[in-house]
Amino acid sequence: MLPTVPVSPIRLDDYIEPAGEDVVKRLRKAAEPFKGARVLHINSTAFGGGVSELLLTHLGLMRDLGIEANWQLIQGSEEFFAATKAAHNGLQGADIPWTAHMEQVYMERMRANAPDVDGSYDFYVIHDPQPLGLLEVIQEQRRREGKWIWRCHIDTSSPNPKIWDYFAPKVNLYDAVIFTMKDFEQPQVSVPKVAFISPTIDPLSMKNVYLDPDTSYAVLRHYGIDRHRPIATQVSRFDPWKDPLGVIDAYRIVKKEWPQLQLVLVGSLAHDDPQGWQYLEATEEYRRGDDDIHLLTNFEHVGNLEVNAFQRSSTVIVQKSLREGFGLVVSEGMWKKKVVVGGNVGGIRLQLSDGETGFLVDSVDECADRIGRVLSDPGLRYRIGNAALERVRGEFLSLRELEDYLTLMESLR
């Protein structure tokens, strides 16, 4: 049996206030046909990224709705995770080598994990490339049971052809594939159902629930951040696609006019992302000598409460991604009535309407310009912040995504 991640039930009725009573009623109705159904989600890590955050909420709500939902992890190795990180980057368009040895390492781990996948579930939801090949091996070893869904959280709008060609036949074994947006779909995908479901945030998680100012200020004080000075914050993995070095460049431009500006770069490090440590070191070197750049990770005990405090205390939120499947931190900032300056890429475009619910930028100079505008205009912060909150309430809260999943599952029965 694969390792199981513990998940606690979450009361759906608690979401009436943030999401609305009609949304709660609609989700209950969508879940009625699935009472007693068994659903298994599989990915590669229980922490350190948006997928794990999504699963904690979705499975907790499923259990409250009478669905037997579980979450399990594949077991990898350092070499395996190096290969899957290369696959992740390649599927997002990086020009990187993909070798026969990488394919061998990948399939060895699929064959090692497949016998431990419980065959008694009605639905299997497989997340991202790490466990994608499980179904291929299971079909070789035994009779396939249940309906299989591959959920791709990656920006696959322009993938490395060699890497996509390797994974496409594995994708096409599935009953359904979920992409975040239409732009990410590839013509080689030929499965019975293709759905487009954008991720969402949990308004009641510790990362998004209301924090009183005293709590936020205590967190800032603990990490040496001055609450009386302007703060720009980016929360993301340490990854070249998130462009923390570009964020530092933009900050340095803005700081010429706003010398009191502080920059907070917060990231978590996951065991399935070996590149994260390397890029954290590169970012540390790049910011060296500037005490107003605060570089923080989960290894400094930065968790959801601390991220919440940083975001709520920020003057502006930045997410200057070069590729982005979605970027939950964008909606997190919007939910807190903050102006988000985001890269004009992928799923960020779903969330930000330029000049209305945030700003989209294509360069360091544009990023610096928008940060400066936000710092200098309280009225702009108020107008866009309120519009951003309502955009998230209407489109990017957890109940909508879970309803979309249930609608897809119903179509596969």
Side-chain angles (χ1 to χ4, degrees), residues 173-348:
L173 298 175
Y174 282 74
D175 299 292
V177 172
I178 301 173
F179 293 103
T180 294
M181 56 194 296
K182 179 71 175 175
D183 290 353
F184 296 170
E185 185 181 15
Q186 289 297 306
Q188 300 97 320
V189 173
S190 58
V191 297
K193 296 283 183 178
V194 176
F196 304 102
I197 301 175
S198 61
T200 51
I201 64 167
D202 181 350
L204 300 183
S205 73
M206 185 54 70
K207 190 185 283 188
N208 296 309
V209 73
Y210 172 75
L211 285 185
D212 64 86
D214 287 344
T215 300
S216 295
Y217 296 158
V219 171
L220 265 61
R221 184 170 60 251
H222 177 75
Y223 289 98
I225 301 166
D226 187 347
R227 67 184 177 96
H228 299 293
R229 295 164 53 195
I231 301 168
T233 298
Q234 174 158 306
V235 179
S236 64
R237 288 180 293 108
F238 288 98
D239 182 318
W241 295 117
K242 309 298 183 181
D243 198 21
L245 305 189
V247 176
I248 292 174
D249 287 338
Y251 152 83
R252 286 172 173 160
I253 293 171
V254 180
K255 200 169 176 67
K256 294 174 184 177
E257 186 175 347
W258 291 84
Q260 294 297 304
L261 180 63
Q262 302 164 96
L263 176 63
V264 180
L265 294 174
V266 184
S268 59
L269 296 160
H271 81 280
D272 67 341
D273 184 8
Q275 190 181 32
W277 286 102
Q278 300 167 17
Y279 214 69
L280 172 61
E281 292 176 1
T283 307
E284 175 66 49
E285 180 62 31
Y286 202 66
R287 69 107 184 198
R288 192 176 303 280
D290 190 338
D291 292 337
D292 282 340
I293 300 178
H294 301 269
L295 196 57
L296 302 170
T297 75
N298 46 324
F299 287 90
E300 282 85 35
H301 306 289
V302 174
N304 288 340
L305 182 146
E306 288 77 16
V307 169
N308 193 342
F310 296 143
Q311 290 175 330
R312 289 190 182 277
S313 303
S314 294
T315 319
V316 59
I317 301 290
V318 183
Q319 189 56 50
K320 194 193 167 299
S321 299
L322 305 177
R323 287 280 193 279
E324 189 63 74
F326 184 70
L328 292 173
V329 294
V330 173
S331 281
E332 290 166 7
M334 295 167 71
W335 181 246
K336 300 172 180 75
K337 295 186 178 182
K338 301 298 177 179
V339 181
V340 180
V341 177
N344 186 19
V345 294
I348 295 178

Side-chain angles (χ1 to χ4, degrees), residues 49-164:
V51 176
S52 56
E53 294 179 22
L54 292 169
L55 291 181
L56 280 172
T57 298
H58 290 172
L59 271 71
L61 288 169
M62 281 183 169
R63 291 182 178 184
D64 190 58
L65 289 164
I67 300 169
E68 185 181 342
N70 287 304
W71 171 14
Q72 294 181 348
L73 305 175
I74 60 165
Q75 298 296 284
S77 64
E78 185 175 339
E79 193 173 25
F80 170 77
F81 288 126
T84 57
K85 183 64 178 182
H88 177 107
N89 287 334
L91 290 173
Q92 291 207 140
D95 183 14
I96 57 176
W98 181 251
T99 67
H101 179 67
M102 288 177 170
E103 295 175 5
Q104 179 184 350
V105 168
Y106 181 81
M107 289 309 297
E108 283 175 353
R109 296 313 306 166
M110 294 300 98
R111 293 189 181 96
N113 281 276
D116 292 329
V117 177
D118 186 337
S120 64
Y121 284 86
D122 301 300
F123 295 92
Y124 298 82
V125 185
I126 310 302
H127 294 266
D128 281 334
Q130 294 94 332
L132 171 58
L134 285 174
L135 180 55
E136 179 181 15
V137 176
I138 285 171
Q139 291 191 164
E140 294 172 355
Q141 295 178 345
R142 65 179 193 259
R143 179 181 172 182
R144 161 187 183 158
E145 302 290 347
K147 298 296 185 179
W148 287 71
I149 301 168
W150 183 53
R151 194 345 174 173
C152 179
H153 296 273
I154 300 171
D155 177 349
T156 52
S157 55
S158 55
N160 181 309
K162 184 174 183 179
I163 296 177
W164 178 255

